[in-house]
Amino acid sequence: QVQLVESGGGLVQPGGSLRLSCAASGSISSINAMGWYRQAPGKQRELVAIIRSSGSTWYADSVKGRFTISRDNAKNTVYLQMNSLKPEDTAVYYCNNLAWAGIKGSWGQGTQVTVSS
């Protein structure tokens, strides 16, 4: 089974940038859609970006124009480039196979992103 480990989070000032990485223990080339999610304190988990095996992408309106999702199949890694960060982007960020989103045990620990002045 594929295991996913998120990294790259940290503390940044508003307007700053971070690149998150999602390293998979197995091949992601055959996964139809990988997504980045986030969960802010007291809030439900939110899907923010999707990349499909075709290379097509989708973004939530809240991050569109600021975030870019990409994948490197050779490295079995999915990335989330986050620019122009806002305090409301503060959350724990997770990656997952969209098909596994409803499986509680499929979620890792995520990586904390804090945007604060």
Side-chain angles (χ1 to χ4, degrees):
Q1 62 179 359
V2 176
Q3 297 182 60
L4 304 169
V5 179
E6 302 91 344
S7 64
L11 174 64
V12 297
Q13 295 184 327
S17 298
L18 284 173
R19 187 173 75 157
L20 307 184
S21 296
C22 171
S25 62
S27 176
I28 62 171
S29 62
S30 62
I31 296 176
N32 182 253
M34 291 290 296
W36 279 99
Y37 303 74
R38 67 187 182 187
Q39 187 166 24
K43 304 295 183 181
Q44 296 295 310
R45 184 178 287 112
E46 173 191 18
L47 177 63
V48 299
I50 300 169
I51 187 163
R52 301 178 177 86
S53 58
S54 65
S56 65
T57 58
W58 172 92
Y59 301 93
D61 288 342
S62 58
V63 308
K64 189 175 297 183
R66 300 187 297 118
F67 290 12
T68 303
I69 187 171
S70 62
R71 65 196 298 167
D72 186 335
N73 289 343
K75 296 181 179 179
N76 293 322
T77 301
V78 180
Y79 303 96
L80 186 68
Q81 178 66 46
M82 306 186 297
N83 298 325
S84 302
L85 284 162
K86 304 175 180 179
E88 51 262 45
D89 295 319
T90 296
V92 178
Y93 283 71
Y94 303 86
C95 63
N96 210 350
N97 181 342
L98 263 68
W100 301 346
I103 304 172
K104 188 174 183 178
S106 71
W107 299 97
Q109 293 185 335
T111 186
Q112 176 72 50
V113 172
T114 302
V115 184
S116 176
S117 60

